[in-house]
Amino acid sequence: SMSMGAPRSPRPVCLFCAVTYNSQEMMKQAQRLLQNEFGEIALESEHYPFSFSDYYAEEMGQELLKFFVSFSTLVEPDRLAEIKLQTNVLEQRTSTAGRRNLNLDPGYLDGAKVVLATTKNYDHRIYLGHGIYGDLHLRYRQGRFQPLEWTYPDYRQPLVLDFLSRVRAWYLDVCKTEEKR
């Protein structure tokens, strides 16, 4: 008889968040708020000028900086939509007169991929619920994260790819340790 694949819960994934900010004060506030919401920060990337697009310039100002943090507490992948709604609330809470000072973009990674949360539908995005889509943004192939045709320019930078590889190594290490328990 043909057996149906029995659904199993996936293993938890590593949550990360990209943070774009317009002042040191806002950057510190972002770190504080994110830790309150999602737990201790495990790894943090270098900070770099966000010069890849003028998308946020009018709202947030010209001199924007960006960095990534990953969190120590692993999450269920199906929480990504809810987490994106939480980060949207944090953006609103730190806005000035309806203009954001922070842009918070959560995503997750596991051994094979990086998935971002977005509110915009597109042909390569899967609906997750709550008005949020999942975007497969990088795949781990031949020993490194590899961009896809739609991968954002800053996710193609060595600085970001190196950081995400470090997070992946940290994550796989945590998974190994969990299995031994």
Side-chain angles (χ1 to χ4, degrees):
S1 70
M2 285 185 62
S3 70
M4 282 181 52
R8 282 201 315 254
S9 290
R11 64 167 46 180
V13 293
C14 184
L15 177 66
F16 68 85
C17 190
V19 181
T20 309
Y21 63 94
N22 58 16
S23 73
Q24 290 302 304
E25 184 194 346
M26 274 299 150
M27 183 266 289
K28 292 203 163 68
Q29 208 173 332
Q31 287 169 321
R32 203 164 51 240
L33 291 168
L34 288 169
Q35 292 197 86
N36 288 345
E37 206 80 25
F38 305 115
E40 188 190 344
I41 289 171
L43 296 169
E44 182 173 325
S45 77
E46 290 171 56
H47 296 224
Y48 59 94
F50 183 69
S51 50
F52 299 92
S53 111
D54 293 331
Y55 189 76
Y56 303 108
E58 197 177 332
E59 181 182 13
M60 292 180 62
Q62 294 294 334
E63 305 287 302
L64 301 179
L65 290 165
K66 184 167 178 175
F67 70 108
F68 289 75
V69 292
S70 67
F71 300 93
S72 299
T73 307
L74 301 184
V75 299
E76 299 301 325
D78 59 13
R79 282 192 52 214
L80 186 59
E82 165 205 331
I83 287 167
K84 177 68 171 170
L85 299 181
Q86 285 172 272
T87 58
N88 284 351
V89 169
L90 297 180
E91 287 181 355
Q92 284 153 11
R93 269 172 49 196
T94 52
S95 293
T96 313
R99 284 172 180 249
R100 287 179 299 172
N101 294 298
L102 289 175
N103 180 60
L104 303 172
D105 276 328
Y108 70 73
L109 64 76
D110 61 18
K113 61 189 173 292
V114 169
V115 177
L116 301 182
T118 175
T119 55
K120 296 171 198 74
N121 192 9
Y122 214 12
D123 60 6
H124 60 273
R125 293 176 176 167
I126 310 291
Y127 189 63
L128 303 177
H130 304 292
I132 305 300
Y133 296 82
D135 182 331
L136 171 66
H137 219 61
L138 297 163
R139 292 185 300 181
Y140 199 82
R141 294 275 169 100
Q142 283 131 9
R144 62 192 179 92
F145 277 121
Q146 302 202 5
L148 297 134
E149 59 186 280
W150 52 79
T151 301
Y152 297 134
D154 64 325
Y155 282 79
R156 297 170 180 267
Q157 291 185 97
L159 182 156
V160 174
L161 292 168
D162 290 349
F163 174 72
L164 293 169
S165 289
R166 274 185 20 232
V167 175
R168 178 182 179 274
W170 176 93
Y171 167 76
L172 293 176
D173 211 44
V174 169
C175 291
K176 263 198 214 99
T177 312
E178 295 284 322
E179 276 167 21
K180 288 192 186 120
R181 279 188 188 157

